[in-house]
Amino acid sequence: MEGDDQQDPLVDNVRALLDGHIVLDRSLTAQNHYPPISLLDSLSRLMPSVCTAAHLEKAQQLRRLLATYRRSEDLIQIGAYQRGSDQILDRAIEVLPEMRQFVRQRSDEVAPFEDSISRFLKLPS
């Protein structure tokens, strides 16, 4: 979508018709994070039908942690968050570096599906 307008009527209609969509995030690109996929804004309606129960559960756990972190990111960045105030946020802060490392991939890197799933299921949550 042009200008990153998530509320553009055309974009909104297309999104309603598709079974999934991948949202790219310019701020991730600016951080040299490739591919710059916004995990919280991207969606697959077919995921529950094509993933194992363990894969789906891990994905849901990690999405919850990412959402918790995003909700409080400003407080964390300015140093206003006090560790111990929110157990889920504390856990999100702990696992975020490993999660970020997992979702990055060099353009010359090969990531076989089975290896990726195995690594994904080993991520802390």
Side-chain angles (χ1 to χ4, degrees):
M1 75 216 73
E2 189 172 333
D4 296 333
D5 184 4
Q6 294 275 347
Q7 305 308 317
D8 180 288
L10 178 61
V11 171
D12 201 38
N13 283 323
V14 169
R15 189 173 34 233
L17 295 173
L18 300 175
D19 287 325
H21 54 272
I22 296 173
V23 177
L24 301 179
D25 186 335
R26 291 178 199 271
S27 68
L28 290 173
T29 303
Q31 297 170 37
N32 208 26
H33 177 117
Y34 295 101
I37 297 171
S38 172
L39 298 176
L40 292 176
D41 295 323
S42 300
L43 171 73
S44 171
R45 292 185 188 113
L46 295 178
M47 186 175 180
S49 301
V50 297
C51 291
T52 65
H55 182 171
L56 188 59
E57 178 63 27
K58 177 64 83 170
Q60 290 169 343
Q61 291 170 353
L62 294 177
R63 269 182 92 86
R64 279 191 292 271
L65 290 176
L66 283 171
T68 299
Y69 183 86
R70 181 186 277 179
R71 183 187 73 232
S72 300
E73 189 169 18
D74 291 340
L75 292 174
I76 296 165
Q77 296 298 324
I78 64 170
Y81 175 72
Q82 296 296 316
R83 188 165 188 76
S85 303
D86 181 335
Q87 289 181 326
I88 297 171
L89 182 54
D90 290 343
R91 186 65 181 149
I93 292 168
E94 288 174 23
V95 303
L96 189 64
E98 197 167 341
M99 289 170 41
R100 283 184 173 158
Q101 181 63 33
F102 175 77
V103 297
R104 288 184 175 186
Q105 184 176 354
R106 294 184 324 272
S107 61
D108 64 340
E109 184 179 351
V110 176
F113 182 74
E114 293 303 324
D115 293 345
S116 295
I117 294 299
S118 176
R119 285 181 49 228
F120 177 71
L121 292 174
K122 291 177 185 172
L123 285 173
S125 56

